[in-house]
Amino acid sequence: MIPIQISKTRAKNIWIQAQKLNVPSPFGKGPAAVTAAIRHLGYVQIDTISVIERCHHHILYNRIPNYNLADLYCAQEKDKTVFEYWTHALSYLPTTDFKFFAAQMNSYKKSSSAWFSSVTKEDREKVKKLLKAGPVSIRDIKDDVLVEKNHPWGSTKPSKKALQLVVG
């Protein structure tokens, strides 16, 4: 394949167009727009940095007129059209892509990784019981005690690993 050369301006314009930043309302509005934007982008990385607002909300705000944080919540928690998963980083993904991650999720169950060594039978049973009542995210598990940092990325709830094992 012969490489083509384009100007920096042309490259910038291609990138802006691909990101839908050149269209006033490319995805519509409300929770359906959140799902459409995430589907178009492939994923939106969840970012804990919050100077004005958490960064993943900026991504959606710049593509969805009148974006409301509740729209993301609705798309994930009510409509179930997006889900959270660790890709190269924690991200929102379209539920239609879940099938592409299922094998990796299932491999965690068979893994003897040290990451899961602290998961107790009680933690797994608690998560299974919660799942029988319907879909659950780590946010829904209120009775866990946050474990302090033992690595540079932050603290976590014990049920997070149990949820990965049970669902994965």
Side-chain angles (χ1 to χ4, degrees), residues 118 144-151 154-159 161:
S118 64
D144 260 357
V145 176
L146 202 59
V147 176
E148 286 305 313
K149 286 184 180 185
N150 59 2
H151 55 80
S155 54
T156 188
K157 294 177 174 182
S159 292
K161 294 177 187 177

Side-chain angles (χ1 to χ4, degrees), residues 70-81:
D71 294 339
L72 176 58
Y73 173 83
C74 186
Q76 181 182 18
E77 301 291 329
K78 293 184 178 153
D79 299 341
K80 309 290 187 206
T81 55

